[in-house]
Amino acid sequence: MRQLLRLIIPLWLALCLLGCGKPKPSSYPPTMVEAARLSEHEAARALPLLEALADSLDRLDEEGRVYYDLLRLRVNDKLNVRATSDTLIRRITAFYEAYGDPDKLMLAYYYRGRVCADLNDALQAVEYYRKAIAASKETKQFLLLSNIYSQMGEILEYQNMYEEAIPAYQKSYEYTLLSGDSVTLSMPIRDIAGAYYELGQMDSALVYYQKAYAIALETRNRKRELGILVEMSAVYQDLGDYEEVFEILYPSFQDSAGRNMSPTYYSLGKNYLLTGRLDSAAYWMNRVRLDGDIYKRAEVYVYKRAEVYDLLGRIEKGRGNYERSAHYFDLYRQCQDSIVKVDQSEQIRRIKALYDYNLREQENQRLTLANERKQTTIYRLLAVSLILLLFMCGGVGYYLNRRRRWRHQVERLNRDREKQYENSQAHLERNLEEIALLGQRLDEALAQKDHLNAELIRLRKESLEATNLRIELLRSERVMLCESLCRSSLYVKFHTSGARITAEDWTSLRTELDRIYDLTSRLYEICPQISDMELRICYLIKIQVKVRDMASILNRSVSGVSSVRGRLYTKITGEGNSPDKLDQLILDL
């Protein structure tokens, strides 16, 4: 049994643990490691390193090649190269879902979301951002988590869900703090301020813009510092603090090299319009570049061409240039028409994206249910197999234990029979035959004057005679005890039909049989599992009570008593059911 379990248990554990081990990480070339390090903040430097590796990808294992593709996607995203297909990122995410590296799976999910955003599938993008967050347990990639929440906030804001976007930006700020990246620390605060601005909560917007500006000053990020000031100017305009607008826009002109100044010109021109200085307003508004897209995403405080034409029309009208004013208002209406068309297209695209998303979700649910059913079937089969295996092991163990128990019981029964033979009439008669033979040999030895041999024969003869005397005495004693029992009122009571047998009667019968035959201890020796009912049947067999009377005494049917007798014989010997053989076995004890 133990050998069987030693074979089965390791095999079962091996089947259960198969495929559960995490693969060893790949070893990347130094150039690839350096490109991965630069890909977050210095993508332009990382790109040539990756391009240099393109011809030697065959030297990498499969995981190395997939990771290279993931790094290329990351660098392209940092360089604002929009994805035109999701084929590559699908393959990457599928690989890392099976590979078992949570950090790379998290990164793959994030860029799957970025690709979906490039393909204008906002709902699917958010879904993969959430998957990236779910895969981030125990990760230390805080900057990546900050980017994920930032992108989620941007998508929610694009859907005009500003209240939902704010918690996402707040999580982005928390993870930026944990990452220790001071370069981007002001960005989530600025995004929170922008969301409050769109909600019309100017006081909250101003507080967060001031905090973002303070962080930009502390981290000495001049470009971001000036950008925050320009965006903050719109808040002061809405609050009516026009002088503060002039003051915070002044630094932007002092450091204009390499920057797009159109947002600054737009804010300054609008501020001059609001303060009634129309000539200055016209000057600065005309410096706004109008060669951008007609309609951009609703990013906070970046100019829109329609708004510029509207303000120019209002400025020229105030200056009395009605013809130019009408021209600008006409351009404004054309832009508005274009915006309406874009909005309608955007709405249609969003509805289609939602429809496609729902279709995907339905298909995913169908596949998930099918997979769950398949897994359930597998688990059930494994459970049934395990149960059958356990039953088989239990059955084998039970059979082996039963055979061992029977073997031991037969050995004990044989030892008891040997002891019984030593006090039997057969042993006595055999000894008498040997004594007669020894008498003849003794006469021969004496005739040959072989005194030593004669003495040995005589001692052996005397020993056998003593043994026979002991046997005769024991047999005589047992006969007397048996006769005493047979003449006793107890014996008569058990042989009287219809007599009421009490517990005291059973105890007395047991005492008498143990005194004569030592029956109970011998029965327990040859069958330790014997029951009280079986013991009583053995007592009745020993005093030769008929089966019909046994049934009456035990309040059982005749067939029931016979069935117990047969089972007890099998329990003792392991042989087939035989009530008569049990009777003979008990009588011989």
Side-chain angles (χ1 to χ4, degrees):
M1 181 62 183
R2 291 181 179 178
Q3 292 179 346
L4 182 61
L5 290 176
R6 287 173 184 172
L7 291 174
I8 291 172
I9 292 175
L11 178 62
W12 182 256
L13 290 176
L15 290 173
C16 292
L17 296 175
L18 186 62
C20 292
K22 182 178 177 180
K24 294 183 179 179
S26 296
S27 178
Y28 308 124
T31 305
M32 193 169 173
V33 174
E34 179 65 11
R37 186 184 68 82
L38 295 171
S39 61
E40 178 61 34
H41 293 304
E42 300 179 80
R45 290 179 57 194
L47 182 59
L49 296 178
L50 292 175
E51 290 176 343
L53 285 171
D55 295 333
S56 58
L57 293 180
D58 292 342
R59 301 175 187 175
L60 302 177
D61 59 11
E62 183 181 7
E63 196 280 329
R65 293 192 295 273
V66 173
Y67 186 49
Y68 172 86
D69 291 335
L70 182 58
L71 288 177
R72 284 299 298 260
L73 278 175
R74 186 178 195 181
V75 168
N76 287 341
D77 180 72
K78 295 292 182 181
L79 296 175
N80 296 318
V81 178
R82 292 176 63 90
T84 58
S85 171
D86 64 350
T87 303
L88 180 60
I89 191 61
R90 280 176 179 270
R91 181 173 61 82
I92 293 172
T93 51
F95 176 83
Y96 281 117
E97 283 173 343
Y99 183 70
D101 188 327
D103 288 339
K104 292 191 177 69
L105 178 61
M106 175 185 171
L107 191 63
Y109 279 144
Y110 170 67
Y111 282 105
R112 180 80 177 266
R114 293 288 294 148
V115 169
C116 289
D118 286 344
L119 299 176
N120 297 318
D121 193 344
L123 293 173
Q124 192 76 352
V126 171
E127 181 68 22
Y128 279 103
Y129 291 149
R130 287 173 177 163
K131 284 188 175 183
I133 293 169
S136 67
K137 296 178 180 178
E138 300 182 2
T139 185
K140 301 298 182 182
Q141 298 190 75
F142 299 125
L143 189 57
L144 178 56
L145 281 167
S146 172
N147 290 338
I148 292 170
Y149 279 108
S150 177
Q151 292 298 322
M152 288 181 67
E154 183 178 332
I155 290 176
L156 292 169
E157 193 172 351
Y158 179 48
Q159 304 292 327
N160 298 325
M161 301 169 66
Y162 302 108
E163 292 181 348
E164 289 79 4
I166 290 172
Y169 288 139
Q170 288 173 336
K171 293 290 289 184
S172 176
Y173 173 69
E174 292 172 8
Y175 281 113
T176 305
L177 278 177
L178 289 173
S179 72
D181 180 23
S182 60
V183 176
T184 60
L185 188 58
S186 62
M187 294 178 64
I189 302 298
R190 182 204 66 185
D191 293 334
I192 294 172
Y196 277 120
Y197 178 85
E198 293 297 329
L199 287 170
Q201 301 179 25
M202 297 305 164
D203 292 338
S204 297
L206 186 58
V207 169
Y208 278 99
Y209 271 127
Q210 289 172 343
K211 184 176 180 180
Y213 178 68
I215 294 173
L217 278 176
E218 186 178 349
T219 57
R220 297 180 181 180
N221 193 324
R222 183 63 175 171
K223 185 176 180 180
R224 191 156 293 143
E225 172 191 335
L226 295 175
I228 292 170
L229 286 176
V230 173
E231 294 181 11
M232 197 190 307
S233 68
V235 179
Y236 282 113
Q237 283 178 349
D238 287 355
L239 292 173
D241 193 350
Y242 304 122
E243 291 305 317
E244 185 67 23
V245 173
F246 288 127
E247 184 174 343
I248 65 175
L249 287 178
Y250 179 73
S252 183
F253 289 95
Q254 292 182 314
D255 194 356
S256 61
R259 291 177 54 240
N260 177 16
M261 294 296 293
S262 288
T264 303
Y265 298 153
Y266 172 83
S267 185
L268 188 60
K270 184 177 180 180
N271 208 55
Y272 276 120
L273 172 63
L274 293 172
T275 55
R277 287 175 273 187
L278 299 182
D279 291 341
S280 296
Y283 173 78
W284 292 110
M285 197 62 68
N286 279 304
R287 294 192 64 178
V288 175
R289 291 179 56 187
L290 299 178
D291 56 352
D293 294 335
I294 292 177
Y295 181 78
K296 294 188 176 184
R297 288 173 55 176
E299 295 176 353
V300 186
Y301 317 124
V302 178
Y303 80 95
K304 301 181 183 71
R305 182 183 289 188
E307 291 183 2
V308 175
Y309 287 138
D310 176 52
L311 293 176
L312 283 171
R314 290 163 58 188
I315 291 169
E316 295 302 330
K317 182 180 180 181
R319 296 173 70 188
N321 298 325
Y322 298 111
E323 185 176 348
R324 290 180 62 81
S325 174
H327 172 69
Y328 283 128
F329 282 133
D330 184 55
L331 291 175
Y332 168 74
R333 283 190 295 272
Q334 292 178 20
C335 289
Q336 285 294 102
D337 291 341
S338 298
I339 289 173
V340 169
K341 291 179 181 178
V342 171
D343 282 340
Q344 290 175 344
S345 299
E346 180 69 11
Q347 188 67 22
I348 293 172
R349 186 190 63 75
R350 288 180 182 178
I351 293 173
K352 183 178 183 302
L354 180 60
Y355 176 75
D356 292 341
Y357 178 78
N358 288 332
L359 285 181
R360 283 194 298 268
E361 284 299 299
Q362 290 175 7
E363 180 63 15
N364 288 338
Q365 290 178 3
R366 186 188 67 79
L367 293 175
T368 300
L369 289 174
N371 188 48
E372 288 176 354
R373 285 195 294 268
K374 184 183 295 184
Q375 288 183 346
T376 301
T377 301
I378 293 173
Y379 291 149
R380 286 176 178 172
L381 289 174
L382 289 174
V384 170
S385 300
L386 179 59
I387 292 170
L388 291 175
L389 184 63
L390 292 175
F391 271 118
M392 183 180 70
C393 293
V396 171
Y398 174 76
Y399 174 76
L400 293 177
N401 287 333
R402 189 171 64 174
R403 293 297 300 176
R404 184 167 55 251
R405 186 175 68 246
W406 285 341
R407 186 170 62 253
H408 291 166
Q409 288 175 177
V410 169
E411 290 174 356
R412 288 191 291 266
L413 180 60
N414 289 336
R415 286 197 299 270
D416 187 87
R417 285 172 175 171
E418 289 174 0
K419 291 171 61 177
Q420 185 178 351
Y421 173 74
E422 291 176 358
N423 300 322
S424 66
Q425 181 66 31
H427 192 199
L428 180 65
E429 292 175 354
R430 181 178 177 182
N431 286 347
L432 289 174
E433 293 176 358
E434 190 171 352
I435 288 171
L437 180 61
L438 289 173
Q440 295 177 4
R441 291 174 58 190
L442 179 61
D443 293 340
E444 292 175 359
L446 290 174
Q448 297 174 3
K449 298 183 179 181
D450 187 353
H451 300 293
L452 180 59
N453 189 31
E455 183 63 20
L456 291 174
I457 294 171
R458 185 182 61 78
L459 290 174
R460 172 61 177 163
K461 183 172 176 289
E462 290 176 355
S463 174
L464 290 176
E465 289 172 346
T467 299
N468 279 0
L469 179 61
R470 179 184 60 80
I471 292 173
E472 287 176 351
L473 290 173
L474 286 174
R475 289 179 62 80
S476 297
E477 181 185 9
R478 179 170 292 183
V479 169
M480 292 174 63
L481 290 172
C482 288
E483 289 177 354
S484 174
L485 174 62
C486 292
R487 289 194 298 269
S488 68
S489 59
L490 179 67
Y491 183 89
V492 172
K493 187 174 184 180
F494 272 96
H495 282 80
T496 300
S497 178
R500 183 175 176 274
I501 306 300
T502 65
E504 290 76 9
D505 295 331
W506 285 111
T507 302
S508 299
L509 179 61
R510 173 174 178 165
T511 302
E512 289 298 318
L513 292 175
D514 288 347
R515 184 166 63 89
I516 300 171
Y517 303 104
D518 192 21
L519 184 62
T520 304
S521 61
R522 292 168 69 190
L523 286 172
Y524 274 119
E525 183 180 359
I526 63 175
C527 184
Q529 300 84 18
I530 193 169
S531 67
D532 290 341
M533 176 59 68
E534 291 167 340
L535 275 174
R536 290 184 173 183
I537 290 177
C538 291
Y539 296 157
L540 296 176
I541 293 172
K542 195 65 175 175
I543 60 174
Q544 297 184 355
V545 175
K546 296 179 180 179
V547 176
R548 181 180 64 258
D549 295 331
M550 286 185 196
S552 177
I553 292 171
L554 298 170
N555 196 24
R556 286 176 173 260
S557 65
V558 174
S559 60
V561 172
S562 297
S563 178
V564 173
R565 289 158 58 221
R567 287 198 302 270
L568 180 57
Y569 182 77
T570 301
K571 188 187 292 187
I572 293 173
T573 65
E575 298 177 3
N577 190 315
S578 180
D580 294 337
K581 288 185 178 181
L582 175 73
D583 295 349
Q584 189 60 47
L585 187 151
I586 299 300
L587 290 173
D588 290 341
L589 289 177

